[in-house]
Amino acid sequence: METLSTPLISLPRYPNPTSLTVDNGHRDHLVFSLISQCSTIKQLKQIHAHMLRIGLFFDPYSASKLFKASSLSSFSSLEYARKVFDHIPQPNLYTFNTLIRVYSSSSEPIQSVKIFLEMLYESPYYPSKFTYPFLIKAAAGLSRLHVGQVFHGMVIKSSLADDIFILNSLIHFYTSCGDLDMAYRVFVMIDKKDVVSWNSIISGFVQGGRFEMALELFREMEVANVKPNDVTMVGLLSACAKKKDLELGSWVCSYIEKNEIKMDLTMSNAMLDMYVKCGSLEDAKRLFDKIEEKDIISWTTMIDGYAKLGEYDAARCVLDAVPKQEIAIWNALISAYEQNGKPKEALAVFRELQLSKNVNPDEVTFVSTLSACAQLGAMDVGEQIHANIKNQGVKFNCYLTTSLIDMYSKCGNLEKALEVFYSVKRRDVFVWSAMIAGLAMYGKGKAAIDLFFRMQEAKVKPNAVTFTNVLCACSHTGLVEEGRMFFNQMEPVYGVVPGFKHYACMVDILGRAGLLEEAAELIEKMPITPSASVWGALLGACKIHNNVELAEQACSRLLELEPENHGALVLLSNIYAKTGKWDNVSELRKRMRVSGLKKEPGSSSIEVNGIIHKFLAADNSHPLCKEIYSKLDEIMARLKSLGYVPNKSHLLQLVEEEDIQEQALNLHSEKLAIAFGLISANPSQPIRIVKNLRVCGDCHSVAKLISRLYDREILLRDRYRFHHFSGGQCSCMDYW
Ligand code: ZN
Ligand code: ZN
């Protein structure tokens, strides 16, 4: 973006050819009336040429008429307007103000500031009450607090300090820069506040998340006898939606009715949004049916509402009822599925969209579907989507690049992820961070750190996400020194304050390396209250190093924060089992049974020819179930002949008979998925599996052996990282 320090382009103004301006009122009048009748830029340009010929253009007032048409009419063109402006020998105040105004709502608000400076230094005019509101609006568009503050200072020094338009624009400016206190100070200083003043300050507090204050101001507004309008009410509805306060929201709705406030589509949509966010779908539906001309916002709000409550059939009905199919409607349903842990359904809707051929998927569709593929490990589908993006000629922006890198890394194809990364020209902080995360997942800690430093060379500033990923890389590779260094540098060197995720990573790094004392000390010294994830990291480390005492502490602290966290109890019971404390195991199991806490069932998915097959432990539901189990028997027999002994300490449950215990181990979902992969996947391709929990030690050693015995690469993504099995080894070097 251009900055204020860029030198002003100063075009030489023509000398003022006053001699050319013949005072001819009648002729001028004719030209002005022609300008007002213009309906295209072409016609305007003809008049422009004529005005140049007869010298009328050199009269500032006449030129301002032409300029107004070029910049404010229905066929206006900012580019042309700027050219006209640059050729006017002596633009008058009106012309300056108009250009400042036009630029203030353009994509280049900085130009307003530049024109303003030109006006100050190169014209005889002083800024007027028509200059400041737009200049301040431009500063809001730039989100530069200090720029607006300068204008505010100039206003105070001028004689315009009590102009309500300027003061209202200052309120808007300060709220949009997040300085609510200053906005409020300007607001209270206004003598006769109008409805715009009230609306600006109320919507400012809503956007700043201070809903109580917004509602309090509304009450004050009533006391002050200023009649609220539709803008006020939309702001209030938004406050109720964000507060999830249905009672208040309903009151606002009845207030609107009672006071006969203008009820247009924007208002209806705001009401709809309030009902949906407050979880009252019945009210939403009732209102929705009453809206005569629904727009895309009305439809997507309803779809979103149903999907959030898990009422997917109802959401689907809404989609089917839309009269004009638009991609945003489909996106609403796809992303609702994707974000609520239903990636398979998201992809099914996407497939339907492709078959219907009514509308083309857009960037938003691709980002959601790629994320669904990443969740499922559905690389074939992901690759097809990648091809679609290219075929459709969709421009690669940083969102899409990030999604592609994430999809390929999570589906087990690091090379492809790297290929995407190196093929793009523009890389923002999210693109870099996604690639660092990809390398981290594969245990390529050194490469991830290397990329972090190259990101610095590329002058991209790391953010909190980058540091989570870098620390994750250190933890997966056991890089304790490096982890400590990054963690200690985060705030002083990079200005990123460590949050829960960073502490959890650091506890993980120290804990895994056996530095349990140091990890516990770090938690004690945390300036923020430790979150469940931090205690979870310590608990996980205790399991690796069999530290029962510390594990009990961590577990009880974790349960204080998340009483429903059954994963913690499972981990603790595993620690008891591992250290032979069977009494404690059964006691814990009893407790879990009483409180109804159940272990999250383990499941593994594998994609074969674009179809996802999902297995639970001891699953009998697959059509090829018989073949899978006989393959599994064959594998186990071959492994045993090689001297493999099942590792029983990975069993959670205490089972009496030897063989049952052994069998339960054999029936873990990832083993079933691997057996299925060996039967059905293309032998030249690696077997790619996604497991929802952490892989157990026995499955890990079995996968290693299979990779050697059957000469197959196996890529297994568990909840924490990737395991790439090949030739009897795993990429994690047994560090997980
Ligand atoms: Zn297992
Ligand atoms: Zn591994």
Side-chain angles (χ1 to χ4, degrees):
M1 198 204 268
E2 279 182 273
T3 61
L4 287 172
S5 55
T6 325
L8 293 171
I9 312 158
S10 110
L11 285 160
R13 297 278 174 201
Y14 300 125
N16 187 11
T18 31
S19 56
L20 285 172
T21 326
V22 189
D23 190 16
N24 186 333
H26 179 67
R27 185 202 56 182
D28 294 0
H29 184 75
L30 191 72
V31 172
F32 296 159
S33 116
L34 278 175
I35 290 177
S36 68
Q37 285 164 32
C38 253
S39 59
T40 64
I41 277 284
K42 204 176 156 199
Q43 289 170 346
L44 195 66
K45 281 182 179 168
Q46 281 167 353
I47 298 170
H48 185 179
H50 178 69
M51 285 174 75
L52 280 169
R53 265 198 307 277
I54 60 173
L56 196 59
F57 184 75
F58 304 102
D59 165 48
Y61 175 72
S62 308
S64 78
K65 289 270 182 189
L66 179 78
F67 178 72
K68 183 185 172 190
S70 71
S71 59
L72 293 178
S73 62
S74 56
F75 53 90
S76 64
S77 144
L78 183 51
E79 196 193 339
Y80 175 57
R82 180 60 196 253
K83 269 189 199 144
V84 173
F85 177 84
D86 287 339
H87 283 93
I88 299 174
Q90 284 176 338
N92 61 14
L93 182 59
Y94 175 81
T95 305
F96 272 112
N97 283 345
T98 306
L99 192 59
I100 290 171
R101 171 180 165 188
V102 175
Y103 272 127
S104 74
S105 45
S106 76
S107 58
E108 285 183 286
I110 186 81
Q111 294 294 344
S112 296
V113 182
K114 289 188 175 184
I115 296 297
F116 174 68
L117 293 177
E118 184 175 339
M119 170 179 159
L120 280 190
Y121 292 112
E122 293 179 29
S123 85
Y125 307 112
Y126 289 104
S128 71
K129 66 176 185 175
F130 298 110
T131 316
Y132 284 116
F134 297 107
L135 199 55
I136 292 164
K137 185 178 173 192
L142 290 167
S143 307
R144 301 269 174 91
L145 188 62
H146 62 278
V147 176
Q149 280 168 335
V150 170
F151 299 147
H152 189 179
M154 293 172 86
V155 168
I156 291 171
K157 281 189 190 148
S158 70
S159 58
L160 300 165
D162 51 9
D163 182 275
I164 187 131
F165 291 104
I166 298 177
L167 292 170
N168 285 347
S169 69
L170 279 169
I171 298 176
H172 172 256
F173 162 75
Y174 282 116
T175 58
S176 74
C177 287
D179 192 343
L180 289 177
D181 294 335
M182 200 55 211
Y184 189 68
R185 273 167 68 182
V186 174
F187 173 78
V188 290
M189 274 167 48
I190 302 177
D191 236 0
K192 286 190 177 143
K193 303 172 181 68
D194 65 5
V195 67
V196 179
S197 328
W198 286 98
N199 287 349
S200 305
I201 195 74
I202 290 174
S203 75
F205 277 106
V206 171
Q207 270 146 33
R210 287 164 65 179
F211 312 120
E212 290 299 340
M213 187 63 184
L215 294 165
E216 180 57 39
L217 279 161
F218 176 67
R219 279 168 216 128
E220 278 178 34
M221 180 179 183
E222 282 201 295
V223 174
N225 241 335
V226 179
K227 199 171 155 23
N229 62 11
D230 50 331
V231 179
T232 326
M233 301 325 279
V234 168
L236 282 189
L237 285 168
S238 162
C240 298
K242 286 182 180 143
K243 264 187 78 182
K244 299 195 194 310
D245 190 335
L246 182 61
E247 202 186 321
L248 199 61
S250 306
W251 178 82
V252 174
C253 290
S254 57
Y255 184 96
I256 293 166
E257 214 172 304
K258 244 186 271 157
N259 293 277
E260 292 175 348
I261 292 168
K262 194 177 102 200
M263 196 54 198
D264 58 4
L265 190 54
T266 309
M267 180 81 92
S268 302
N269 285 342
M271 282 183 175
L272 205 57
D273 181 62
M274 182 278 293
Y275 283 132
V276 163
K277 294 245 166 73
C278 296
S280 176
L281 261 288
E282 281 158 43
D283 287 315
K285 181 78 175 55
R286 207 171 307 130
L287 174 67
F288 182 74
D289 290 339
K290 270 199 281 182
I291 305 175
E292 274 168 27
E293 301 234 343
K294 305 173 178 74
D295 69 354
I296 190 114
I297 298 173
S298 336
W299 291 101
T300 50
T301 306
M302 275 318 277
I303 293 180
D304 230 38
Y306 280 125
K308 285 220 173 73
L309 288 184
E311 294 184 25
Y312 295 102
D313 292 340
R316 181 65 218 218
C317 285
V318 177
L319 184 134
D320 291 331
V322 180
K324 193 172 161 281
Q325 294 282 318
E326 275 181 67
I327 191 59
I329 311 256
W330 287 84
N331 288 346
L333 190 60
I334 293 174
S335 75
Y337 274 129
E338 183 263 308
Q339 280 169 19
N340 290 298
K342 297 200 172 289
K344 234 177 146 166
E345 288 79 354
L347 290 182
V349 177
F350 176 63
R351 214 164 297 134
E352 210 185 309
L353 163 72
Q354 285 182 309
L355 291 174
S356 78
K357 293 197 172 109
N358 284 335
V359 272
N360 272 334
D362 65 2
E363 178 204 314
V364 180
T365 330
F366 291 131
V367 168
S368 317
T369 45
L370 285 171
S371 161
C373 293
Q375 287 180 45
L376 285 167
M379 201 181 71
D380 291 353
V381 182
E383 265 186 319
Q384 280 165 23
I385 295 172
H386 189 181
N388 282 353
I389 297 171
K390 283 189 194 155
N391 293 342
Q392 229 179 278
V394 176
K395 241 174 85 193
F396 268 83
N397 57 21
C398 289
Y399 286 118
L400 274 180
T401 310
T402 306
S403 304
L404 277 168
I405 292 174
D406 183 59
M407 183 277 290
Y408 279 122
S409 328
K410 286 191 179 149
C411 289
N413 198 331
L414 188 61
E415 285 82 48
K416 270 273 194 183
L418 285 163
E419 205 182 296
V420 172
F421 178 78
Y422 285 113
S423 71
V424 294
K425 280 202 201 92
R426 249 181 62 74
R427 299 185 193 116
D428 67 0
V429 61
F430 294 100
V431 173
W432 284 94
S433 304
M435 199 60 249
I436 291 173
L439 291 165
M441 263 187 267
Y442 287 82
K444 296 192 183 300
K446 289 265 193 308
I449 291 172
D450 199 43
L451 205 62
F452 176 81
F453 287 120
R454 289 193 26 220
M455 176 177 167
Q456 317 287 294
E457 284 163 21
K459 303 248 179 310
V460 178
K461 207 173 158 284
N463 63 13
V465 179
T466 324
F467 276 104
T468 308
N469 298 348
V470 170
L471 290 171
C472 212
C474 295
S475 117
H476 285 331
T477 327
L479 299 171
V480 180
E481 272 316 304
E482 288 83 347
R484 268 201 203 106
M485 179 192 81
F486 284 122
F487 187 80
N488 292 333
Q489 285 184 351
M490 275 179 72
E491 198 173 346
V493 180
Y494 300 97
V496 179
V497 182
F500 294 129
K501 285 190 179 166
H502 307 109
Y503 276 100
C505 279
M506 201 54 217
V507 168
D508 197 54
I509 292 172
L510 297 170
R512 275 165 195 273
L515 302 165
L516 290 172
E517 292 297 317
E518 196 182 333
E521 240 168 67
L522 181 71
I523 299 179
E524 289 307 319
K525 284 192 197 138
M526 272 175 73
I528 38 179
T529 317
S531 65
S533 59
V534 175
W535 291 114
L538 185 63
L539 184 59
C542 290
K543 187 196 159 210
I544 300 172
H545 299 286
N546 302 329
N547 189 327
V548 178
E549 203 184 318
L550 202 54
E552 281 171 336
Q553 278 179 37
C555 190
S556 72
R557 298 296 293 272
L558 203 163
L559 290 173
E560 278 169 24
L561 297 166
E562 287 182 1
E564 298 285 304
N565 191 322
H566 55 266
L569 290 175
V570 172
L571 256 178
L572 186 61
S573 114
N574 282 346
I575 299 170
Y576 286 145
K578 234 174 125 182
T579 48
K581 295 190 186 311
W582 297 112
D583 290 348
N584 299 23
V585 173
S586 40
E587 204 177 298
L588 205 57
R589 299 278 312 167
K590 217 182 290 160
R591 193 172 140 198
M592 286 164 82
R593 251 196 314 275
V594 170
S595 61
L597 289 175
K598 271 198 298 212
K599 189 183 170 192
E600 183 183 345
S603 72
S604 300
S605 308
I606 174 169
E607 185 192 46
V608 175
N609 300 327
I611 296 168
I612 305 286
H613 303 258
K614 186 175 166 186
F615 295 92
L616 296 168
D619 201 334
N620 284 322
S621 62
H622 198 275
L624 292 178
C625 168
K626 249 182 147 174
E627 287 85 345
I628 294 169
Y629 279 101
S630 66
K631 186 73 185 176
L632 202 56
D633 285 343
E634 175 211 305
I635 296 170
M636 285 307 160
R638 284 183 69 180
L639 291 187
K640 275 192 184 148
S641 71
L642 286 176
Y644 153 78
V645 183
N647 184 349
K648 288 167 211 148
S649 74
H650 295 290
L651 264 186
L652 165 67
Q653 222 164 343
L654 180 63
V655 184
E656 299 293 339
E657 296 108 300
E658 275 298 306
D659 57 322
I660 295 178
Q661 203 180 97
E662 203 176 300
Q663 225 176 32
L665 260 183
N666 284 351
L667 300 179
H668 278 183
S669 62
E670 52 269 60
K671 291 200 186 86
L672 295 176
I674 293 175
F676 176 67
L678 285 173
I679 300 173
S680 51
N682 182 344
S684 67
Q685 295 288 315
I687 295 172
R688 298 173 201 277
I689 290 167
V690 175
K691 163 125 208 232
N692 66 335
L693 305 173
R694 198 190 285 256
V695 61
C696 87
D698 184 63
C699 288
H700 193 265
S701 14
V702 166
K704 281 201 288 191
L705 291 169
I706 294 177
S707 73
R708 194 177 73 208
L709 206 58
Y710 290 82
D711 194 22
R712 284 294 283 270
E713 275 183 50
I714 301 170
L715 278 146
L716 192 150
R717 182 178 109 207
D718 71 7
R719 188 178 245 173
Y720 296 91
R721 62 170 300 148
F722 253 103
H723 299 273
H724 184 179
F725 303 97
S726 160
Q729 297 289 325
C730 180
S731 63
C732 74
M733 311 295 279
D734 298 332
Y735 195 89
W736 88 93

